[in-house]
Amino acid sequence: MTLSQADSTNPEQARDRCLVVGLTGGIGSGKSTVATLFAEQGAAIIDTDSISRRLTQSGGIAIPALRAEFGDRYIGKDGALDRSEMRALVFSDPAAKSRIEQLLHPLILVQTEAELAQAGAAPYAILVVPLLHQAPAFRRLAQRVLVVDCDEQAQLTRVVRRSGLTETEVRAIIASQTPRAERLALADDIIRNDGDLDGLAAQVAALHRSYMQNND
């Protein structure tokens, strides 16, 4: 699929801003590393996880609504969202995931759109959305979908090493995300992250050249 063929639900807005590439992938696939490499190439990076953390930090605008919806138990002594408690709730109560998404997603979307509006000076923007295929409102902001892919064992190893979660907990997270085959089927571009950093950087550089050419 060429950039001109990529779906855009709002052509007028698409013309008013730079190319937006939705970057996604399973937990531990290396999305943050890839985003950093694109930033080094000059791309604007809008990371919805970072936005979510700002909204749910101490003093964040989402904290009063989270407290009202879920109770003081899920707000830490520092005034920020207690992510461990919330993670445990989501896995024990499937409806809780929908409740928190209904609360947070509109706030994240507003901030995402604001940051995209400020990215016009960049040649293109990388919009990092871990669950892009499960979030249509965010998918509509992107003209292309880029998937960072690796095998499940690599995901497990990376997440256990960096997070302190058990392998069972990580497998549960992977199972809750979009299946790998489904992510790949909906991708316009794919980066494989099974090798070293040099190989990853080479793939990013190649896509950077492509995005620059197609954004002229």
Side-chain angles (χ1 to χ4, degrees), residues 57-95:
Q57 67 186 4
S58 178
I61 64 172
I63 292 298
L66 287 167
R67 191 188 300 275
E69 178 71 20
F70 295 99
D72 290 339
R73 175 180 175 180
Y74 299 96
I75 307 300
K77 292 181 179 179
D78 61 353
L81 175 67
D82 187 326
R83 292 180 175 273
S84 296
E85 285 285 354
M86 187 59 72
R87 185 184 304 114
L89 174 65
V90 166
F91 282 118
S92 66
D93 178 7

Side-chain angles (χ1 to χ4, degrees), residues 147-198:
V147 172
V148 183
D149 183 55
C150 65
D151 62 43
E152 186 172 307
Q153 187 55 51
Q155 290 180 266
L156 286 168
T157 300
R158 290 168 184 163
V159 179
V160 169
R161 183 172 61 234
R162 81 187 185 199
S163 69
L165 297 173
T166 67
E167 184 171 313
T168 298
E169 289 172 322
V170 177
R171 287 188 184 278
I173 294 172
I174 291 173
S176 73
Q177 297 186 335
T178 304
R180 181 184 183 188
E182 186 176 333
R183 282 196 301 268
L184 293 173
L186 295 174
D188 297 299
D189 306 300
I190 298 169
I191 285 180
R192 289 288 304 174
N193 189 19
D194 292 319
D196 58 20
L197 185 60
D198 287 343

Side-chain angles (χ1 to χ4, degrees), residues 6-14 17 136-137 139-143:
D7 176 58
S8 173
T9 59
N10 194 329
E12 292 299 324
Q13 284 187 352
R17 68 181 187 220
R139 172 64 186 91
R140 285 192 290 270
L141 297 175
Q143 289 80 57

Side-chain angles (χ1 to χ4, degrees), residues 1 6 34 53 62 73 93 96 115-116 121 125 129 142 155 164 171:
M1 179 185 293
V34 169
R53 288 184 179 276
R73 175 180 175 180
D93 178 7
E115 293 190 17
L116 284 172
V129 186
Q155 290 180 266
R171 287 188 184 278

